[in-house]
Amino acid sequence: MEQYGSEQRAHRVAYAALKHSYEKVGDHWEAKQRRGPSDERAEHGGPNPRGETAEGVDANASEQHLREIASRLEISGRSKMTKDQLVDAIRKYNERARRRARGPRSAGGVRQ
């Protein structure tokens, strides 16, 4: 925080570093086959990143790798999906898994 001036900026830098070495698979992170940016936004980095984020999905991985991940997650229709569709389907699966892992919440945002 001292180095980056704000908690939010420090968090963004740490999250970007995480996504260079790990990818989000369901409700957990796994080491990537090779280190590097995971999506368009991570490629540009800096204080004003541009491009879309895949929210932890390694959008720069091969289509075959994404199909393997989709298969492990039992995403239906994966054999006919384009690479972009696979990334989006895995991203949506991950979001649902994250919500399930957090458990039910009341209207006030407090766990029941």
Side-chain angles (χ1 to χ4, degrees):
M1 171 120 152
E2 192 175 296
Q3 181 178 358
Y4 295 103
S6 78
E7 185 176 337
Q8 183 182 31
R9 187 164 178 220
H11 175 76
R12 283 195 315 258
V13 170
Y15 189 61
L18 171 75
K19 293 192 316 178
H20 269 67
S21 298
Y22 295 86
E23 65 182 317
K24 185 83 172 179
V25 179
D27 63 352
H28 65 280
W29 292 87
E30 294 182 4
K32 291 176 20 176
Q33 294 174 342
R34 64 186 168 107
R35 193 180 184 311
S38 59
D39 55 39
E40 200 176 349
R41 175 162 264 173
E43 288 174 10
H44 295 102
N48 298 310
R50 58 187 191 277
E52 293 191 34
T53 179
E55 299 174 16
V57 177
D58 189 3
N60 290 334
S62 69
E63 189 171 332
Q64 179 182 346
H65 175 76
L66 293 168
R67 277 194 206 291
E68 289 169 6
I69 296 293
S71 176
R72 286 178 34 209
L73 298 175
E74 299 180 355
I75 294 173
S76 61
R78 63 189 172 267
S79 63
K80 296 179 182 176
M81 291 182 185
T82 65
K83 185 175 178 178
D84 288 342
Q85 289 170 327
L86 286 164
V87 169
D88 193 48
I90 295 167
R91 184 190 56 74
K92 287 177 182 175
Y93 181 96
N94 292 349
E95 176 61 25
R96 287 190 303 272
R98 184 187 61 78
R99 283 196 306 263
R100 281 191 306 270
R102 285 188 171 179
R105 295 181 179 268
S106 69
V110 178
R111 287 185 188 188
Q112 297 177 355

